[in-house]
């Protein structure tokens, strides 16, 4: 809608809008409620403050107490727009009573909208109202009888906590968080898991270790995958908040267990988290506790996990350096070329391809290339034609003498393979040999 405000309550569109707000048809009142905030903003921008206070604020109050919950929830959404154009004192007189009422509305849908928009409203109310009025309101929403409302409030937990002093977070918010960790609804726990570690910088390291860490570990072991996935997504922030010692003693056992979680998406999330965790714990700790885990992922039954594990090996190589990886990591990874399952042997070829651009020629010639060449005679055609594809990928990185002496003869051998697919990929690669 586009509004131009000449002056006064006799502005014809305003009279029409007022009639729509009191229309007998709920659908009409819903449409009016949906546009009330836009109209209030336009009237304020036109400088018609008196018109705003005398005509629109009574409409706002009326719509927010409408008999239809679909009208009331739209009116709630207007609270933010209206609060922005009023002073703190005016908000206390007009908007605050509405917020009090709708936060305890008989319809959970209205309370749901309040939970979604409360944080946007707070800056317009001032610090005193936030501490004395909005904090209890938010706590009430966190404890709402309906799971949907609790879930919506949980998603705003960190945002709202930033508006409070740490003492209020510890005394008013944290008890709710503790209770929600055991909520009967998995959706509430999932919402909480996605944001709970955001409280750590607010309450400080001591309170985090004492009160937040047990909740964090509980959510890591939740029976529902979505909860575990969401809390794993916050692990990078946990690194900073908890510190290396606490990570090693408390968090690492849970992560180790999740690395073999029955849900592949959870395992995938842990893999994505591994490089930042390794950086936090250091190379010596990684070698002792985590290196074997990274190798086992290369033998996972799910293709997506194996490919993510290949990327993980590359990221770890970039993190700790090629010299370290060539001694401590590559031998364990490349040993899988002898695995009885051909899928794991294919994963080795993927690893060779992935690492080839980051290791330099010395390691490429001494470690990676011999592995690929040694798999030319693999008994499985799928492996052999992937050898041809891998060798083609490596060609731009190799010196002409190596290509002529080692690569081309192997591709010629594969081009005469008994399997047609192997022949095809070998013949495709041969022209690139020069």
């Amino acid at each position: 809608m586009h509004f131009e405000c000449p002056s006064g309550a006799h502005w014809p569109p305003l009279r029409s809008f007022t009639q729509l707000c009191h229309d007998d048809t709920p659908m009409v009142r819903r449409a009016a409620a949906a546009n009330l905030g836009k109209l209030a903003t336009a009237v304020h921008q036109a400088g018609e403050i008196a018109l705003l206070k005398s005509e629109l604020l009574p409409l706002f109050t009326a719509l927010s107490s409408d008999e239809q919950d679909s009208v009331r929830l739209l009116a709630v959404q207007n609270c933010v727009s209206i609060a922005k154009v009023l002073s703190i004192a005016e908000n206390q007189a007009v908007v605050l009573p509405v917020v009090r009422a709708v936060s305890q509305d008989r319809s959970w849908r209205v309370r749901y909208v309040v939970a979604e928009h409360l944080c946007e409203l707070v800056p317009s109310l001032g610090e005193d109202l936030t501490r004395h009025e909005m904090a209890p309101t938010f706590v009430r929403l966190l404890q709402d009888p309906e799971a949907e409302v609790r879930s919506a409030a949980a998603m705003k937990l960190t945002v709202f906590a930033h508006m409070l002093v740490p003492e209020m977070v510890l005394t008013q918010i944290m008890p709710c968080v503790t209770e929600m960790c055991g909520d009967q609804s998995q959706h509430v726990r999932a919402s909480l898991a996605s944001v709970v570690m955001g409280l750590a910088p607010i309450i400080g390291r001591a309170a985090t270790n004492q009160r937040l860490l047990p909740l964090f570990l509980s959510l890591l072991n939740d029976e529902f995958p979505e909860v575990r996935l969401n809390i794993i997504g916050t692990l990078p922030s946990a690194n900073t908040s908890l510190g290396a010692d606490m990570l090693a003693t408390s968090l690492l056992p849970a992560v180790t267990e999740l690395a073999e979680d029955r849900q592949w998406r959870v395992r995938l999330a842990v893999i994505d988290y591994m490089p930042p965790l390794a950086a936090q714990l250091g190379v010596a700790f990684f070698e002792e506790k985590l290196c074997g885990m990274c190798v086992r992922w290369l033998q996972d039954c799910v293709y997506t996990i194996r490919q993510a594990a290949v990327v993980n090996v590359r990221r770890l190589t970039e993190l700790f350096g090629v010299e370290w990886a060539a001694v401590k990591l590559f031998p364990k990874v490349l040993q899988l070329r002898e695995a009885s399952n051909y899928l794991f042997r294919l994963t080795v070829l993927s690893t060779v391809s992935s690492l080839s651009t980051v290791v330099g020629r010395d390691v490429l010639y001494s470690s990676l290339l011999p592995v690929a060449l040694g798999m030319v005679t693999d008994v499985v055609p799928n492996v052999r034609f992937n050898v041809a594809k891998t060798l083609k990928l490596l060609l731009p990185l190799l010196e002409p003498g190596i290509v002529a002496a080692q690569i081309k003869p192997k591709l010629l051998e594969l081009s005469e393979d008994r399997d047609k697919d192997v022949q095809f990929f070998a013949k495709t690669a041969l022209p690139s040999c020069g």
Side-chain angles (χ1 to χ4, degrees):
M1 298 179 70
H2 177 70
F3 303 100
E4 293 181 0
C5 309
S7 63
H10 299 293
W11 179 41
L14 181 57
R15 292 198 301 273
S16 299
F17 187 83
T18 301
Q19 293 171 0
L20 294 175
C21 289
H22 295 290
D23 196 275
D24 291 336
T25 306
M27 187 177 297
V28 175
R29 298 200 302 277
R30 283 201 299 270
N35 287 281
L36 180 60
K38 299 176 185 177
L39 178 58
T41 301
V43 170
H44 181 266
Q45 290 175 346
E48 295 288 343
I49 308 301
L51 180 63
L52 171 67
K53 295 178 180 179
S54 63
E55 300 294 330
L56 295 187
L57 292 186
L59 295 178
F60 165 68
T61 303
L63 290 172
S64 64
S65 59
D66 193 276
E67 62 181 11
Q68 292 288 325
D69 61 355
S70 59
V71 177
R72 295 198 303 275
L73 67 86
L74 288 170
V76 169
Q77 294 177 354
N78 291 314
C79 278
V80 177
S81 299
I82 290 176
K84 287 180 179 179
V85 302
L86 299 177
S87 67
I88 291 178
E90 290 167 340
N91 279 322
Q92 185 172 2
V94 178
V95 176
L96 184 58
V98 172
V99 175
R100 284 176 184 156
V102 294
S103 67
Q104 302 177 72
D105 196 276
R106 61 185 180 275
S107 169
W108 71 265
R109 292 179 177 84
V110 176
R111 301 196 304 274
Y112 178 91
V113 175
V114 175
E116 281 196 317
H117 293 277
L118 189 65
C119 292
E120 302 171 54
L121 181 63
V122 165
S124 301
L125 298 178
E127 294 183 2
D128 288 340
L129 285 181
T130 298
R131 286 196 299 268
H132 297 111
E133 294 283 351
M134 293 299 98
T137 298
F138 187 71
V139 168
R140 192 162 52 245
L141 293 169
L142 290 173
Q143 299 172 329
D144 195 273
E146 291 294 332
E148 288 83 354
V149 179
R150 298 196 302 275
S151 181
M155 289 298 294
K156 303 295 183 179
L157 181 67
T158 302
V159 178
F160 191 86
H162 274 288
M163 302 175 185
L164 304 176
V165 295
E167 183 180 355
M168 290 190 69
V169 176
L170 288 170
T171 57
Q172 298 189 37
I173 304 299
M174 281 302 299
C176 297
V177 173
T178 302
E179 184 178 346
M180 294 173 78
C181 276
D183 198 282
Q184 293 181 348
S185 170
Q186 68 193 72
H187 303 295
V188 174
R189 299 197 305 276
S191 296
L192 179 66
S194 65
V195 300
V196 68
M197 282 311 293
L199 294 175
I202 302 172
I203 64 177
R205 179 163 292 187
T208 295
N209 292 341
Q210 182 181 1
R211 300 183 62 176
L212 202 57
L213 180 59
L215 306 180
F216 183 82
L217 295 176
S218 173
L219 293 169
L220 270 177
N221 292 297
D222 195 275
E223 61 179 315
F224 287 96
E226 185 181 359
V227 178
R228 300 196 298 274
L229 274 172
N230 287 354
I231 198 67
I232 290 170
T234 69
L235 285 174
S237 63
N239 284 355
T240 305
S241 302
L242 297 176
D245 291 341
M246 191 59 68
L247 280 175
T249 57
S250 299
L251 185 57
L252 185 61
V255 172
T256 303
E257 185 176 346
L258 289 171
E260 300 178 359
D261 194 273
R262 63 186 180 276
Q263 294 287 337
W264 69 267
R265 291 182 300 146
V266 174
R267 301 197 300 276
L268 181 63
V270 176
I271 294 173
D272 290 339
Y273 168 65
M274 185 53 60
L277 176 63
Q280 186 80 5
L281 295 174
V283 64
F285 191 96
F286 175 83
E287 286 179 28
E288 180 183 355
K289 302 290 186 180
L290 301 175
C291 191
M293 183 192 305
C294 295
V295 176
R296 287 195 296 275
W297 281 325
L298 294 165
Q299 304 168 72
D300 196 275
C301 60
V302 177
Y303 171 79
T304 302
I305 297 297
R306 296 196 299 273
Q307 290 305 110
V310 169
V311 175
N312 182 56
V313 169
R314 177 187 175 116
R315 293 173 67 190
L316 291 170
T317 300
E318 294 171 333
L319 175 64
F320 290 136
V322 174
E323 292 184 5
W324 170 85
V327 175
K328 300 294 185 178
L329 184 59
F330 294 170
K332 298 175 182 179
V333 172
L334 299 179
Q335 192 175 6
L336 294 178
R337 68 184 181 276
E338 300 174 359
S340 58
N341 190 325
Y342 84 96
L343 295 174
F344 303 159
R345 302 200 295 276
L346 287 176
T347 302
V348 171
L349 289 172
S350 296
T351 306
V352 169
S353 299
S354 177
L355 291 172
S356 62
T357 56
V358 300
V359 297
R361 279 185 174 175
D362 289 344
V363 175
L364 178 59
Y365 289 165
S366 63
S367 298
L368 303 186
L369 184 58
V371 170
L373 293 174
M375 298 174 73
V376 166
T377 57
D378 194 279
V379 295
V380 178
N382 257 17
V383 176
R384 296 198 299 276
F385 77 62
N386 273 282
V387 170
K389 293 168 68 175
T390 300
L391 293 177
K392 181 181 179 182
L393 184 68
L394 296 180
L395 285 174
L397 305 173
L398 304 175
E399 296 173 334
I402 297 293
V403 173
Q406 298 185 42
I407 306 300
K408 191 170 184 179
K410 295 296 185 181
L411 288 174
L412 287 170
E413 179 182 338
L414 290 172
S415 69
E416 298 177 359
D417 193 276
R418 61 184 179 276
D419 186 272
K420 291 184 179 180
D421 290 330
V422 178
Q423 293 178 22
F424 171 80
F425 286 106
K427 291 176 180 178
T428 301
L430 274 169
S432 301
C433 292

